[in-house]
Amino acid sequence: LFTMLADALNSITQLILQYPIWAGAIVFLVAMIESLAIIGFIVPGVAIMFAIGALISNGTLDLLSTVIWAAAGASIGDGLSFALGWHYKDKVYQLAWLKRHQDLLDNGHVFFEKYGVLSILIGRFVGPIRAVIPLIAGILRMPIKQYIPINIIASALWAPAYLLPGLLFEKALRFFPTTSLINSL
């Protein structure tokens, strides 16, 4: 598992380094895929965002544009999950993967019922339910005019919060002359 994660991080880092003109689109896609219901459980989004943060630190990527691309990707990914829940409603529960992981939906429902609109904001930062809260919001028919603003705010806060650790870690490694997170991948 660790080797697969390291390979994925290396591949994404190499893509960005080889095709810097596509870096924004790559960051957008990573954040979007990491945010999608079901798929978000499989994609190691936290680790990938950490590595992207390191690329900001070493000057490969621009901080502001990377944060904007990541926030946009997260917002669109969550929006797609919300739309799936809205459109398919109870049919979502028939998906084989979700049947095997019913506890994720149950926990998401409890969380959404407890926090309502704020669950979109809070859930964005809670690993196990991050990828399911927008889906549940759609299933439960959260009004779109409530969903969109809180989704945008949550994504705008999430992007720098998930990029900053990699940025700071890479900066800290510079105190050690021959060490770099990017060079070690």
Side-chain angles (χ1 to χ4, degrees):
L1 182 64
F2 181 75
T3 304
M4 286 177 30
L5 176 60
D7 289 345
L9 288 174
N10 188 41
S11 295
I12 290 168
T13 301
Q14 291 306 314
L15 264 175
I16 290 172
L17 292 171
Q18 289 174 1
Y19 304 101
I21 196 151
W22 291 102
I26 294 166
V27 170
F28 176 91
L29 286 172
V30 166
M32 184 184 79
I33 291 167
E34 189 271 344
S35 301
L36 290 171
I38 303 169
I39 297 170
F41 294 110
I42 301 164
V43 175
V46 173
I48 295 170
M49 296 304 286
F50 186 93
I52 291 170
L55 290 173
I56 294 168
S57 179
N58 75 14
T60 301
L61 297 174
D62 172 68
L63 175 63
L64 181 60
S65 63
T66 303
V67 167
I68 291 169
W69 281 109
S75 187
I76 296 297
D78 282 353
L80 289 171
S81 295
F82 177 84
L84 287 171
W86 187 279
H87 181 73
Y88 290 105
K89 200 167 164 71
D90 294 332
K91 292 177 186 170
V92 168
Y93 300 106
Q94 302 309 311
L95 294 172
W97 193 89
L98 287 174
K99 280 184 175 182
R100 288 192 308 270
H101 297 90
Q102 183 65 40
D103 58 318
L104 290 172
L105 284 175
D106 294 342
N107 292 339
H109 270 279
V110 168
F111 192 83
F112 188 84
E113 294 293 335
K114 182 174 183 178
Y115 296 105
V117 172
L118 286 179
S119 67
I120 303 300
L121 179 65
I122 299 165
R124 181 111 253 325
F125 295 90
V126 180
I129 61 169
R130 178 177 46 247
V132 76
I133 289 292
L135 179 73
I136 290 169
I139 291 169
L140 297 177
R141 298 288 200 243
M142 179 180 187
I144 293 172
K145 62 183 174 185
Q146 284 182 341
Y147 176 77
I148 290 174
I150 197 74
N151 176 38
I152 291 170
I153 293 166
S155 298
L157 293 172
W158 171 84
Y162 274 62
L163 292 168
L164 189 61
L167 187 150
L168 294 175
F169 186 76
E170 179 70 16
K171 281 199 181 293
L173 286 179
R174 290 195 188 147
F175 288 108
F176 304 99
T178 59
T179 310
S180 169
L181 174 64
I182 299 305
N183 292 338
S184 66
L185 291 176

